[in-house]
Amino acid sequence: MTAWTRRRLLSTAATALPAAGLATTAAASARAAASARPGGTDVADALRALPGLRLVEERHDAEPGYRHFVLGLRQPVDHTNPAAGTFEQRLTLLHTAADRPTVLFSTGYHAVLSPRRSEPAVLLGANQLQVEHRYFGTSRPADPGYTHLTVRQAADDHHRVVRLFRRLYPGAWISTGSSKGGMASVYHRRFHPHDVNGTVVHSAPNNVDDRDDSAYLRFLETAGTPAAREALEAVQRSILLRRAELVARYEAWAAATGDTFRLVGSADRALEIAVLRVPLMFWQRGTPADVAAIPGPGATADELYTWLDATTGLELYADTTARNYIPYWYQIGTQLGYGSFPTAHLADLLRHPDAAEPRSFVPRDVPLRFDRAAMPDIDRWVRRRGSRLLFVNGTQDPAVAEHFRPGGPDSRLLWVPGGNHGADLADLSPADRASAEDMLVRWAGQEYFTHTLGT
């Protein structure tokens, strides 16, 4: 395998995003064009030759030096039982060259068809293979329930993807993801630790014990300044005190857009859920400038509604969007776990006990039985055995109030001071950013596994 030094990787990274400050060069484009034929075959033909893979379309929207493909891979519904049938999993590929590293990008949700590259793909000038999570988007098995939506089944999906695409990309592989996508990357490594050379995880929650939400509550009760927390509590109360006006507006919006609230039960219940989620959603994306925009005591109903919608996304709780996220809430309610919100200041205004629990978003005929062993198993592996894991979190992100603590070889946890749920490598201190980049380049330049992977 080619030994890629940090300098060589950084200087030959093709068509980096403008935010990375790297310019597209004619040499990079020429290199990509010259190597677009793995094994002497055009990459499109090479993709069509992979067993079980369907080339859905080639999109002509990629940066110079890249080709963008939408793919469908036939996957087992149950990796332990071939008789359970198959489904087609949506993938996207940003191809630059067969001899470059490859980044396995996990969304944790549906696939995104824009040709945006992740930070590792930009840094390494790598190919990028995006995997839509099973049961999301178009990657839906035909079975009526979600029995096979588990972290192990999804990890096995990723394992089959890597094994198949190594035929085209035999070099170094790096996996990455953010939030739920980062969680999926960790779970993949837990069950198939040698599939990739290393993993970069952004803003990934690690709810080890779903019965203990004290870390989340402590975070939300201490986030920001006392004045900011008081402003958030006050605006939550203001919204619920004007519940009738705001629910009427919510219902009018739903009627105008043809939406309904059958899944959560009513617009009134949906509004209460949105209000309860205000602290979590605000601090995940909020900045000091956003604190100043929190509506005060004299706010009108329109101002309160507009702010709540901008902060928590009211369409998330109406059927059209909520039904797309049933798999997410199913996973939350069966394995991943969920945090709690401070409610004491709202106790006299709440009408729907436990409204913000996963059960509200999963049809009643779908059972939710929580597996208390799943997350402790992942956590132990990360702490004791997981190697080449890089976690990047923001200090102001409530999602990582409970976070992964890597203890295995060549693994690190880095924090972005003041960062929220969008914490990136670029946001790290200069020293930490250089350290993270060096880790990535070292991983991409060394091969510690065989190309013949176990099943």
Side-chain angles (χ1 to χ4, degrees), residues 264-317:
V264 300
S266 68
D268 188 81
R269 200 162 185 265
L271 184 86
E272 186 165 301
I273 294 169
V275 171
L276 288 171
R277 285 168 57 84
V278 158
L280 172 68
M281 302 293 277
F282 181 85
W283 291 117
Q284 278 196 165
R285 299 295 179 186
T287 66
D290 295 315
V291 172
I294 299 172
T300 66
D302 282 351
E303 289 170 338
L304 291 172
Y305 184 92
T306 300
W307 181 86
L308 180 65
D309 188 23
T311 303
T312 66
L314 289 174
E315 69 177 18
L316 291 173
Y317 316 107

Side-chain angles (χ1 to χ4, degrees), residues 7-84:
R7 180 178 180 182
R8 186 180 180 196
L9 281 162
L10 291 174
S11 64
T12 60
T15 64
L17 293 177
L22 299 176
T24 301
T25 65
S29 299
R31 191 203 72 246
S35 57
R37 298 174 174 81
T41 303
D42 182 78
V43 64
D45 293 331
L47 290 168
R48 292 188 184 95
L50 291 177
L53 189 71
R54 182 170 69 94
L55 199 165
V56 177
E57 65 170 321
E58 180 172 359
R59 299 170 67 89
H60 301 286
D61 56 358
E63 299 166 87
Y66 278 83
R67 293 174 67 178
H68 186 194
F69 298 94
V70 179
L71 310 167
L73 176 62
R74 188 58 52 186
Q75 291 274 29
V77 172
D78 181 356
H79 288 272
T80 68
N81 177 21

Side-chain angles (χ1 to χ4, degrees), residues 129-301:
L129 188 60
Q130 177 188 195
V131 181
E132 182 170 78
H133 201 286
R134 60 167 46 211
Y135 288 88
F136 288 86
T138 65
S139 303
R140 296 177 178 265
D143 61 307
Y146 297 87
T147 304
H148 299 106
L149 179 52
T150 67
V151 296
R152 179 60 191 265
Q153 294 283 357
D156 290 350
D157 290 341
H158 286 73
H159 178 58
R160 290 190 75 249
V161 168
V162 173
R163 291 187 67 195
L164 181 67
F165 278 84
R166 274 199 181 282
R167 302 183 188 192
L168 301 188
Y169 304 110
W173 281 63
I174 302 294
S175 61
T176 192
S178 178
S179 191
K180 188 171 178 291
M183 295 158 72
S185 295
V186 175
Y187 306 154
H188 171 210
R189 288 292 305 282
R190 159 64 184 94
F191 296 108
H192 302 285
H194 303 301
D195 271 3
V196 298
N197 292 63
T199 301
V200 182
V201 182
H202 299 265
S203 308
N206 180 34
N207 195 336
V208 181
D209 184 353
D210 194 47
R211 296 164 295 188
D212 180 5
D213 292 332
S214 58
Y216 295 102
L217 292 172
R218 281 196 305 272
F219 184 99
L220 294 173
E221 289 167 351
T222 58
T225 64
R229 296 193 298 274
E230 289 173 9
L232 283 177
E233 290 184 355
V235 76
Q236 286 179 286
R237 287 192 61 85
S238 294
I239 292 169
L240 291 178
L241 285 167
R242 304 180 73 164
R243 181 193 293 260
E245 293 174 82
L246 299 184
V247 168
R249 177 164 175 171
Y250 203 4
E251 290 173 332
W253 165 82
T257 58
D259 221 328
T260 54
F261 297 95
R262 295 189 182 93
L263 186 60
V264 300
S266 68
D268 188 81
R269 200 162 185 265
L271 184 86
E272 186 165 301
I273 294 169
V275 171
L276 288 171
R277 285 168 57 84
V278 158
L280 172 68
M281 302 293 277
F282 181 85
W283 291 117
Q284 278 196 165
R285 299 295 179 186
T287 66
D290 295 315
V291 172
I294 299 172
T300 66

